[in-house]
Amino acid sequence: LELERAVFFYPHLRAALHRLPMHFRKRYMENKAFRRPAVHMKPFSEEHPDQPFVLHSDGRVYPSRHFDLPPQIFYPAESQRCLWANEGIVYGFRQRKKESPIHPRFWRPHLYRIPFHSELLNRWMYIIVSHRALTLIEQAGSLDQYILASSDGELNSRLGTHLKRDMLLALARLPPDSELRQRYAKYAVPLEEAEWIGLSLAEACKKQLKLESDAKKQAAAVPKKIELMRRLRESQNSAEAPVA
């Protein structure tokens, strides 16, 4: 988040925002507009759709959506190096008895260190996953299917987005008639687009500036007289071309 704020502080990075590729801007806005699923609670309005009002134990009547307020959840920096599937650390309070004092408490997700095999990357890797992430991987059938089918907001992990970029790059470099590419054909994207997946806003701006700098250096490497001769030759050929 601090790096994203730095983008708006430096003028050269702020100017590069308007030159970013359209597919990156679209993916970035979809990720920002993503609404996290209620993985730590069951919405009361969904379980009781016919009850717009609820009589509480204190004798008061409340709207049913009053009980749909999500708990306080925060995601530590370590969760970006794992696959938690939007699970986080829940902060709340606990009271054992009515007469006992209220104590703060944290509810942490259950984590497992499990080896996974990636078909596209052709390697084994140990990944720390939460119980929900492990369930979603089993439902998807494999780690590759889960990573590619999930959006950046659903992954909510730098590790997950980096794995997605590596998988899509490997998929784009496969031969068109290979069996592995045909199996994951619905997830295939062009190689130029796959290189931008998983980048933060600051990283994307720096990548855009580097591409522009490399293009200027490549253009300056060609002598101006050779470039002028090429343009004159092209204009002469176009003038001598017969008009249909």
Side-chain angles (χ1 to χ4, degrees), residues 87-190:
E87 281 195 76
I89 299 178
V90 180
Y91 172 73
F93 298 90
R94 183 178 181 182
Q95 186 179 19
R96 296 184 178 274
K97 297 180 181 180
K98 190 174 181 179
E99 298 80 10
S100 59
I102 300 177
H103 301 282
R105 180 179 174 180
F106 295 91
W107 287 268
R108 302 173 179 84
H110 297 282
L111 302 179
Y112 312 94
R113 186 171 182 266
I114 300 178
F116 293 96
H117 180 262
S118 173
E119 291 182 317
L120 292 172
L121 302 180
N122 192 22
R123 72 168 187 259
W124 287 86
M125 63 192 82
Y126 276 95
I127 302 178
I128 299 177
V129 298
S130 64
H131 181 75
R132 183 172 185 268
L134 184 59
T135 303
L136 294 176
I137 293 174
E138 292 177 351
Q139 293 177 356
S142 65
L143 177 67
D144 296 2
Q145 290 284 353
Y146 166 69
I147 294 291
L148 295 176
S150 303
S151 63
D152 296 348
E154 293 173 346
L155 292 174
N156 191 23
S157 168
R158 293 279 289 172
L159 174 64
T161 54
H162 287 182
L163 287 176
K164 178 186 286 189
R165 179 178 58 197
D166 295 343
M167 292 177 183
L168 291 177
L169 287 174
L171 183 61
R173 296 190 179 104
L174 289 176
D177 55 346
S178 64
E179 180 184 357
L180 192 59
R181 183 181 178 88
Q182 294 177 1
R183 193 186 311 167
Y184 296 94
K186 60 181 180 180
Y187 305 115
V189 296

Side-chain angles (χ1 to χ4, degrees), residues 16-242:
L17 290 174
H18 305 283
R19 302 192 299 271
L20 293 175
M22 183 58 65
H23 57 80
F24 174 81
R25 287 188 280 178
K26 180 180 178 182
R27 184 184 294 271
Y28 180 81
M29 294 306 297
E30 290 177 354
N31 185 25
K32 286 298 180 181
F34 177 77
R35 186 176 181 181
R36 302 191 187 279
V39 300
H40 301 89
M41 58 176 291
K42 295 181 180 180
F44 186 86
S45 56
E46 294 182 4
E47 294 184 353
H48 309 277
D50 300 331
Q51 298 184 17
F53 298 96
V54 179
L55 179 62
H56 198 256
S57 59
D58 58 2
R60 299 180 181 180
V61 178
Y62 295 92
S64 60
R65 62 177 180 272
H66 174 79
F67 298 93
D68 290 343
L69 297 176
Q72 299 184 20
I73 306 170
F74 68 94
Y75 303 92
E78 290 77 8
S79 64
Q80 298 298 313
R81 300 191 293 268
C82 313
L83 294 178
W84 285 18
N86 276 308
E87 281 195 76
I89 299 178
V90 180
Y91 172 73
F93 298 90
R94 183 178 181 182
Q95 186 179 19
R96 296 184 178 274
K97 297 180 181 180
K98 190 174 181 179
E99 298 80 10
S100 59
I102 300 177
H103 301 282
R105 180 179 174 180
F106 295 91
W107 287 268
R108 302 173 179 84
H110 297 282
L111 302 179
Y112 312 94
R113 186 171 182 266
I114 300 178
F116 293 96
H117 180 262
S118 173
E119 291 182 317
L120 292 172
L121 302 180
N122 192 22
R123 72 168 187 259
W124 287 86
M125 63 192 82
Y126 276 95
I127 302 178
I128 299 177
V129 298
S130 64
H131 181 75
R132 183 172 185 268
L134 184 59
T135 303
L136 294 176
I137 293 174
E138 292 177 351
Q139 293 177 356
S142 65
L143 177 67
D144 296 2
Q145 290 284 353
Y146 166 69
I147 294 291
L148 295 176
S150 303
S151 63
D152 296 348
E154 293 173 346
L155 292 174
N156 191 23
S157 168
R158 293 279 289 172
L159 174 64
T161 54
H162 287 182
L163 287 176
K164 178 186 286 189
R165 179 178 58 197
D166 295 343
M167 292 177 183
L168 291 177
L169 287 174
L171 183 61
R173 296 190 179 104
L174 289 176
D177 55 346
S178 64
E179 180 184 357
L180 192 59
R181 183 181 178 88
Q182 294 177 1
R183 193 186 311 167
Y184 296 94
K186 60 181 180 180
Y187 305 115
V189 296
L191 185 63
E192 297 77 11
E193 181 178 348
E195 294 176 349
W196 292 82
I197 293 177
L199 298 180
S200 63
L201 190 61
E203 293 172 347
C205 291
K206 292 179 181 179
K207 181 179 178 64
Q208 179 66 24
L209 293 176
K210 186 177 185 305
L211 292 176
E212 295 174 356
S213 176
D214 294 344
K216 291 180 181 179
K217 290 180 181 179
Q218 186 176 2
V222 180
K224 293 185 177 180
K225 58 182 181 180
I226 297 179
E227 182 67 19
L228 179 61
M229 292 178 59
R230 184 181 63 83
R231 292 182 180 179
L232 290 174
R233 192 181 301 111
E234 291 178 355
S235 61
Q236 184 178 5
N237 294 339
S238 60
E240 295 178 355

